[in-house]
Amino acid sequence: MRFDEHVLAFRGETEVMAPGRRPVSDIVGEVLHAFPGFTIADLKSGRRQRDLCFARQTAMYVVRHERPDLSYPVIGRWFGGRDHTTVMSSVRKIAALRGEV
């Protein structure tokens, strides 16, 4: 990845790509099949509707587990500029609901 591509990815202006890894948008698209009525734009928005928040948290959890190469800040930026602690909280919450903790 060239420097300018890295800067764009850091800003969340382009897809975060890695050789041999699925794009984040593909992973999130699969998660959204379980949550009809929501789009990727909804997950990136600032809306805090309960069902939407749960879909966003689930998507963050799945992205973190399928793309361990991405840091919490990078995942947060992809989801509309959220803080890394929001991503950490989401991953912990969904892991607890799944009985992994």
Side-chain angles (χ1 to χ4, degrees), residues 9-79:
F10 177 80
R11 292 181 185 160
E13 297 173 12
T14 185
E15 182 66 49
V16 180
M17 298 294 294
R21 302 278 186 165
R22 292 175 54 206
V24 174
S25 56
D26 289 353
I27 297 168
V28 173
E30 278 188 14
V31 172
L32 285 176
H33 286 296
F35 298 96
F38 295 122
T39 65
I40 289 178
D42 291 332
L43 296 186
K44 290 183 173 187
S45 74
R47 292 181 22 219
R48 292 173 28 178
Q49 178 185 355
R50 181 184 298 247
D51 294 340
L52 175 59
C53 287
F54 185 70
R56 184 183 297 126
Q57 291 167 342
T58 303
M60 288 179 181
Y61 169 85
V62 174
V63 168
R64 178 64 182 165
H65 280 80
E66 289 198 20
R67 292 288 305 269
D69 59 313
L70 298 179
S71 65
Y72 289 116
V74 169
I75 295 170
R77 281 190 296 273
W78 196 92
F79 280 94

Side-chain angles (χ1 to χ4, degrees), residues 78-99:
W78 196 92
F79 280 94
R82 287 180 166 66
D83 191 69
H84 73 282
T85 57
T86 302
V87 180
M88 292 171 63
S89 173
S90 297
V91 170
R92 283 190 201 123
K93 177 181 177 178
I94 301 301
L97 290 173
R98 293 174 50 100

